[in-house]
Amino acid sequence: MHPVIDQVTARIVERSEPTRAAYLARMRQAASVGPVRADLPCSNLAHGFAGCAGEDKLVLRRAHRPGVAIVSAYNDMLSAHQPLREFPDWIKESVRQAGGVAQFAGGVPAMCDGITQGRAGMELSLFSREVIAMSTGIALSHEMFDGALLLGVCDKIVPGLLIGALSFGHLPTILVPAGPMASGLPNSEKSRIRQLYAEGKASREDLLEAEAASYHSPGTCTFYGTANSNQLVVEAMGLHLPGASFVPPGTPLRKALTEHAGRRVVELADEGHMLAEVVDERSVVNGVIALLATGGSTNHTLHLVAIAAAAGIRLTWDDFNDLSAVVPLLASVYPNGSADINHFQAAGGVQFLVSTLLEAGLLHRDVRTVAGEGLDHYRMEPVLEDGELTWREGPSHSLDEQVLRPASKPLSADGGLRMVQGNLGRAVIKVSAVAERHREVTAPARVFTDQRSFTEAFRAGELDRDVVVVLRQQGPQANGMPELHGLTPSLGVLLDRGHRVALLTDGRMSGASGKIPAAIHLTPEAATGGPLARVRDGDMISLDTRAGTLDVLVEQAELASRQPAQDGQLASGWTGTGRELFGALRAAVGPAEEGASVFSGQYAASAESLAGTVAEAGLAPGHLP
């Protein structure tokens, strides 16, 4: 193992020791020998199988074989989730063949960031992760299940499913993806037309035609945003079947993998397998490394922190930063290149990526996965031979080094994710798609508090100069931390005109962060009195990704003496499009650096309480029943 990866993993283990021990103790207490429903009172159990028929009812009644929960994010509005409609029937039959019974335990909400981008609904997007986690908890709360299959793909959905399932970490759990849509209009062409539209050089019809040619069929959007980052990360963590991430929907191989997930979760239940033991410090580090090696979504600096916390693991931005310094960038997929995720898959996909990272000592090999012990399982690719699913050795070399490189010949020496900090706080920036000459910017600030005001200023020509666009009051407590991807075309125009341009925000920029240097997730956010609330138009802002610094060039005494701008959104104004329903989450959410989660404080309190109970009993967590 690379020494830095060993060191980072060791310090995560050390800082997580009390919370991780308490979490594992709780999971071991929850574990049961044999189907858990056997302990239900008769009336409870009868309710649990009343809707079943035939052999399924008899199996559940006897309580000798595993019951499997299906939790799905299916809806037919999201192209990525539309294929999930058929999955439950396939799974039920495969689980039945393995001797168990699968029941559709619950659906979770699934909103589309592509549809809500730049709209009021986007202010619910991050909070939907917490709602999905709670919905997953409700689905699994009936004590009827000995294993779970989680069906979901996009942005907040996979993290939410996994966070919820980790509260039931005593169950074996497999995530089941749907796969990407076929390649459509090249992403670079889509981006070009978006910029032309921003300049008034393309019509709305031109733009709609380009967008429709890009997003054109069932399946995941093909650029390397948060949805596809989700799939790659959880596969590298050992939570998918090997090779499952990027097999297209509507193919025999996708159906075979989905059916096998049903059979496999029954095997894992029989073996006493636990999700809690798959998601450990090493698998979390593997997920971070896979993200960095491919230039994945910055949203995972929130999601992986929150997922880790749900398993009692304390992951920090400093861990991302230190790992990024030694993990090479191996993939060139839009927005970090012109290829899409189908090209990445054709070049060798996750199997070649895992293989080359293992050979370079950049991934933990000795981990538990849903495929078995050790990450070497994920060097294998699924194929159909005479109609039967099997796995064979994946590619030993990249089939297209313009898209995917071996670790010995990287695109760049580091993963391209930076933490910057200074008198404005701490922020995240992805530079893998940012040209070297744009990675250091010093320019006057122009302050906005909403996207519409920015767009109006751009169209009026007020930003046609060197500028650091400051968009504040976009943090978790301000308005739910919406993605600000809609700013990209206009900022790209300014950059292409030769100006020094950067974005600074306490909001998110999405998994499609591209060529604009964007310091995002700034914490503390303006709504909580962070220094960003004291920045004024014309203040010089210095962003240096090489030095890792972010400062407003104002005397510290003067900055401290300024009254924070009262430009936040009043709670009474946070209404419409369902936003008022989420007021409690907005009030409870933690800072971006802690995953922008409403659960983080509850995890800590729960861990402290259980740790005290364990200590009083004189038991080590590993010796709990």
Side-chain angles (χ1 to χ4, degrees):
M1 284 297 298
H2 191 289
V4 171
I5 294 172
D6 261 344
Q7 291 162 15
V8 171
T9 306
R11 78 186 186 205
I12 294 171
V13 170
E14 182 177 3
R15 85 165 74 94
S16 305
E17 186 174 1
T19 49
R20 178 66 176 168
Y23 171 75
L24 288 175
R26 182 159 57 90
M27 292 305 104
R28 288 170 181 146
Q29 284 179 321
S32 172
V33 179
V36 67
R37 65 185 180 279
D39 291 331
L40 287 176
C42 292
S43 176
N44 303 54
L45 181 58
H47 275 83
F49 61 65
C52 296
E55 186 63 22
D56 285 355
K57 179 174 282 191
L58 292 176
V59 170
L60 290 177
R61 178 172 180 152
R62 294 190 195 109
H64 292 149
R65 297 295 294 144
V68 174
I70 301 170
V71 182
S72 177
Y74 163 74
N75 68 53
D76 59 15
M77 180 190 67
L78 274 73
S79 64
H81 292 79
Q82 189 266 1
L84 299 175
R85 178 180 58 188
E86 299 178 288
F87 285 22
D89 286 342
W90 299 346
I91 289 167
K92 288 177 183 179
E93 181 56 31
S94 65
V95 169
R96 193 175 291 125
Q97 291 169 2
V101 175
Q103 294 174 285
F104 193 97
V108 302
M111 65 182 294
C112 178
D113 288 3
I115 296 173
T116 58
Q117 199 68 242
R119 311 293 295 180
M122 174 55 79
E123 297 180 10
L124 305 184
S125 175
L126 183 61
F127 292 144
S128 76
R129 184 190 67 186
E130 320 304 86
V131 175
I132 292 162
M134 292 186 284
S135 299
T136 303
I138 291 169
L140 297 177
S141 67
H142 296 94
E143 297 184 89
M144 286 289 293
F145 306 116
D146 308 288
L149 296 175
L150 309 179
L151 282 54
V153 178
C154 290
D155 299 86
K156 271 45 82 197
I157 298 158
V158 168
L161 286 166
L162 189 48
I163 290 167
L166 281 165
S167 285
F168 296 81
H170 59 290
L171 300 177
T173 300
I174 301 176
L175 282 101
V176 181
M181 68 175 68
S183 301
L185 184 74
N187 285 296
S188 56
E189 177 65 8
K190 175 187 67 179
S191 179
R192 185 185 72 84
I193 294 172
R194 283 178 174 177
Q195 284 200 193
L196 288 174
Y197 180 74
E199 293 181 275
K201 297 177 180 178
S203 68
R204 177 179 168 84
E205 187 59 33
D206 293 334
L207 181 63
L208 183 57
E209 187 66 27
E211 299 291 351
S214 299
Y215 311 116
H216 58 87
S217 69
T220 313
C221 306
T222 58
F223 70 91
Y224 192 40
T226 309
N228 285 318
S229 295
N230 280 340
Q231 307 315 307
L232 184 139
V233 166
V234 298
E235 183 165 342
M237 292 175 69
L239 293 165
H240 276 173
L241 294 177
S245 293
F246 302 124
V247 174
T251 61
L253 183 55
R254 170 53 64 201
K255 184 173 188 286
L257 283 164
T258 302
E259 291 171 337
H260 188 76
R263 293 189 293 271
R264 181 59 181 157
V265 80
V266 173
E267 294 173 352
L268 294 175
D270 287 338
E271 294 168 8
H273 196 272
M274 291 170 54
L275 173 64
E277 293 174 344
V278 176
V279 181
D280 67 4
E281 296 89 344
R282 293 165 301 170
S283 72
V284 167
V285 168
N286 282 351
V288 173
I289 290 168
L291 180 80
L292 295 170
T294 53
S297 170
T298 52
N299 278 329
H300 276 289
T301 61
L302 306 175
H303 297 326
L304 277 167
V305 171
I307 290 166
I313 298 165
R314 296 176 59 198
L315 178 69
T316 71
W317 283 358
D318 290 325
D319 300 326
F320 279 88
N321 195 57
D322 292 351
L323 291 170
S324 183
V326 300
V327 174
L329 181 66
L330 305 182
S332 178
V333 186
Y334 187 84
N336 305 319
S338 59
D340 68 19
I341 203 66
N342 293 315
H343 302 139
F344 170 82
Q345 174 72 0
V350 177
Q351 276 48 63
F352 177 74
L353 178 76
V354 167
S355 182
T356 191
L357 289 171
L358 280 172
E359 289 169 6
L362 295 170
L363 285 173
H364 291 285
R365 177 179 265 110
D366 56 334
V367 291
R368 179 169 288 190
T369 78
V370 300
E373 296 294 327
L375 200 61
D376 281 303
H377 287 283
Y378 289 79
R379 303 170 77 147
M380 309 294 288
E381 64 178 4
V383 292
L384 289 176
E385 293 183 356
D386 298 325
E388 295 295 319
L389 179 65
T390 187
W391 275 264
R392 68 185 181 194
E393 193 72 31
S396 60
H397 63 280
S398 171
L399 302 178
D400 185 349
E401 290 193 358
Q402 297 301 308
V403 177
L404 182 59
R405 296 277 187 91
S408 59
K409 197 164 76 173
L411 293 158
S412 67
D414 64 73
L417 192 70
R418 304 275 195 279
M419 304 303 131
V420 290
Q421 59 186 352
N423 63 4
L424 287 171
R426 283 163 59 88
V428 174
I429 183 167
K430 186 171 83 171
V431 297
S432 51
V434 177
E436 281 287 340
R437 66 185 181 277
H438 298 313
R439 295 186 182 187
E440 181 181 347
V441 178
T442 299
R446 179 64 191 275
V447 181
F448 301 95
T449 59
D450 61 76
Q451 296 182 67
R452 179 174 294 180
S453 298
F454 162 82
T455 300
E456 290 171 353
F458 170 78
R459 289 175 176 169
E462 298 172 13
L463 304 178
D464 200 0
R465 55 183 172 81
D466 290 358
V467 63
V468 174
V469 172
V470 173
L471 188 55
R472 66 188 176 204
Q473 300 296 347
Q474 304 298 307
Q477 289 194 25
N479 63 353
M481 207 179 190
E483 289 184 349
L484 306 170
H485 182 46
L487 306 182
T488 300
S490 300
L491 291 170
V493 169
L494 299 176
L495 197 71
D496 290 348
R497 289 176 181 170
H499 300 306
R500 308 287 290 172
V501 179
L503 173 68
L504 172 60
T505 180
D506 45 12
R508 295 183 292 131
M509 194 59 179
S510 94
S513 302
K515 65 183 182 181
I516 311 301
I520 59 178
H521 304 179
L522 182 68
T523 184
E525 63 175 289
T528 62
L532 191 64
R534 293 177 166 83
V535 174
R536 297 175 180 170
D537 284 345
D539 286 346
M540 296 299 290
I541 304 288
S542 174
L543 169 64
D544 188 340
T545 64
R546 300 180 187 94
T549 57
L550 173 64
D551 293 286
V552 56
L553 304 183
V554 173
E555 290 292 337
Q556 198 61 34
E558 180 189 340
L559 187 66
S561 69
R562 293 178 180 176
Q563 285 296 313
Q566 301 299 313
D567 51 15
Q569 196 171 39
L570 294 174
S572 60
W574 203 58
T575 57
T577 322
R579 286 175 290 179
E580 61 275 12
L581 302 174
F582 290 73
L585 299 186
R586 183 180 171 218
V589 70
E593 198 164 4
E594 295 176 12
S597 172
V598 302
F599 303 135
S600 53
Q602 298 170 34
Y603 292 142
S606 174
E608 289 177 8
S609 174
L610 185 54
T613 301
V614 170
E616 288 174 14
L619 294 172
H623 295 109
L624 285 172

